[in-house]
Amino acid sequence: MSDYLLPDVGEGLTEAEIVSWKVAVGDEVKINDVVVEIETAKSLVELPSPYAGVVVALMVPEGETVAVGTPIIRIDDGVAAPGAPAAPAAVPELDLSNPAATGAVEGESLVGRNKAERAPVRRTRAANPTLTPTPAERIQIPVERALSEAVVLAKPPVRKLAKDLGVDLATCAATGPNGTISRTDVEVAAGGAPVVARTGADGSRERREPIKGVRKMMGAAMVASAFTAPHVTEWITVDVTRTSEFVMRVRGRREFADVKVTPLLVLAAACLRAARRTPVINSTWDEAAGEVVFKSYVNLGIAAATPRGLVVPNIKDAETLSLLELAGALGDLTAVARDGRTQPADMTGGTFTITNVGVFGIDGGTPIINPGESAILCFGATKRQPWVVAEGGQERLEIRDVCTLALSFDHRHIDGESGSRFLADVASMMEDPAAALLF
């Protein structure tokens, strides 16, 4: 009998939320079968089982946040605990699982493997699963209540509300969809009159979401950065017509057929080349050591908006990649980030970040530097605008593709000359991609 303790799947994480169980009590699991999906302060992560056996108990309900090291699932792996007393009378556990099938890989136990790397899991119900009591330190609930709540349909937030109000869900009249118990049902059972709703399906006029996981980390990081590093932001508006034409030509090349080619790819390549000329952009301020740390590598971060908050995964050693390899890495990075599947290791160690607000039709902004870095570039929307074109000593007015770039940098060690040179170099390459050959 083994308890699976919530592991630290990142660097120094202290807690995680149980998002959804992938197994149920009585399921048979193998080593590396995914048993639960959790949300850390950085991303959604699937946890594989380190044990093979039968699921005896799901020890934490969905929606609850627990500390690293907390027992979350008990598996009967056929190994008796050292010095364990005789098994007491069985107490059925409350089954709060979501029995969705997932995948697994053979071999060593790995946290957070991609689904694509796992073969389909074959799950079977044990004929007579042995149920054991919860640990002594956990609060025991009456067997009758556990059995009655096991068949009650209610979402995790509603179950939490019932727990907070001391309401037995089995006593609630279910008026929600498909026989589910709503917040209003719990409030009525608690003796309070529900709020009459002007909007909202659950009877409330307000909707509250806990500040946790990715959003909590993002908020703390932005506050720390904004009030630690003195930000300076510079802007430049650029004619990027030639970049638009270059993107169309590259898309037509056979070797780029399987990757996404966008102006963001050209901008990323321009930033990598401009950083060679102005390496202080890719450095960091080490307050404790009293040093500026210059880095010979670029871990290029791309800010991505997800339903759970802003994440900034990065491409490791991006400066070593060809344009084709960089296009593939950008495509993989953004797709995984939007699905909320970015692994914690992919969001650490960034050295420079690009945030693309142009995809939302926004012209520009004053981005906040990602903690641990010294600069961030904001890529605005490309729009067709009148533009004065100078050629052969003559000027003429044309309709061109125009966008705005904004660079925020840490003014403690990046002075105006360095920041301006970097931004001007990037703008030069966006105006004429052939200028990249000069860097």
Side-chain angles (χ1 to χ4, degrees), residues 219-231 367-373 410 412:
M222 292 299 98
V223 169
S225 177
F227 293 100
T228 300
H231 285 52
I368 298 177
I369 302 167
N370 201 35
E373 302 175 15
D410 187 341
R412 288 177 297 183

Side-chain angles (χ1 to χ4, degrees), residues 271-272 274-276 278-285 292-301 319 349-353 372-375 409 413-414 422:
C271 289
L272 293 171
R276 297 175 187 170
T278 313
V280 71
I281 289 291
N282 194 51
S283 67
T284 56
W285 177 278
V292 175
V293 183
F294 290 82
K295 300 173 181 178
S296 59
Y297 58 93
V298 181
N299 290 344
L300 180 64
E319 82 287 354
T351 63
F352 179 83
T353 293
E373 302 175 15
S374 293
F409 53 89
H413 62 296
I414 303 177
F422 174 84

Side-chain angles (χ1 to χ4, degrees), residues 83-117:
V91 178
E93 283 289 329
L94 179 60
D95 183 0
L96 299 174
S97 64
N98 176 17
T102 59
V105 295
E106 297 298 330
E108 60 189 5
S109 175
L110 299 174
V111 173
R113 273 293 188 91
N114 292 330
K115 286 184 179 179
E117 300 178 25

Side-chain angles (χ1 to χ4, degrees), residues 131-318:
L131 301 179
T132 61
T134 57
E137 66 271 17
R138 298 179 63 218
I139 300 176
Q140 300 295 322
I141 59 175
V143 175
E144 295 81 1
R145 180 176 176 182
L147 292 174
S148 63
E149 288 194 2
V151 296
V152 168
L153 299 179
K155 295 182 178 179
V158 176
R159 292 183 180 275
K160 184 177 186 303
L161 176 63
K163 179 180 178 182
D164 294 342
L165 297 179
V167 172
D168 184 348
L169 287 174
T171 66
C172 296
T175 63
N178 301 316
T180 59
I181 294 176
S182 68
R183 294 180 63 91
T184 301
D185 298 333
V186 174
E187 291 168 352
V188 170
V195 178
V196 178
R198 292 181 182 174
T199 59
D202 63 352
S204 66
R205 297 172 63 187
E206 298 178 343
R207 183 170 66 90
R208 293 173 175 262
E209 293 183 354
I211 302 174
K212 59 184 180 181
V214 173
R215 186 170 283 111
K216 182 177 181 180
M217 185 201 70
M218 176 190 70
M222 292 299 98
V223 169
S225 177
F227 293 100
T228 300
H231 285 52
V232 169
T233 303
E234 294 184 343
W235 307 67
I236 188 169
T237 303
V238 188
D239 175 4
V240 294
T241 304
R242 291 180 182 177
T243 285
S244 299
E245 295 168 350
F246 176 77
V247 166
M248 295 304 297
R249 291 199 303 271
V250 172
R251 286 175 180 171
R253 295 185 64 89
R254 182 175 56 191
E255 61 266 36
F256 284 84
D258 296 328
V259 297
K260 187 175 183 180
V261 179
T262 68
L264 177 62
L265 171 62
V266 182
L267 179 65
C271 289
L272 293 171
R273 284 164 174 77
R276 297 175 187 170
R277 183 177 176 186
T278 313
V280 71
I281 289 291
N282 194 51
S283 67
T284 56
W285 177 278
D286 189 337
E287 181 72 29
E291 299 172 338
V292 175
V293 183
F294 290 82
K295 300 173 181 178
S296 59
Y297 58 93
V298 181
N299 290 344
L300 180 64
I302 304 295
T306 74
R308 295 176 178 270
L310 180 71
V311 297
V312 189
N314 61 79
I315 300 170
K316 301 292 193 286
D317 299 314

Side-chain angles (χ1 to χ4, degrees), residues 11-50:
E11 297 182 359
L13 296 177
T14 60
E15 63 182 17
E17 176 190 349
I18 303 300
V19 175
S20 62
W21 285 106
K22 304 301 183 181
V23 294
V25 171
D27 282 356
E28 185 177 302
V29 296
K30 301 185 296 294
I31 292 177
N32 285 325
D33 282 0
V34 172
V35 294
V36 66
E37 181 180 57
I38 65 172
E39 181 182 9
T40 71
K42 296 183 178 181
S43 65
L44 290 175
V45 178
E46 294 176 328
L47 296 184
S49 173

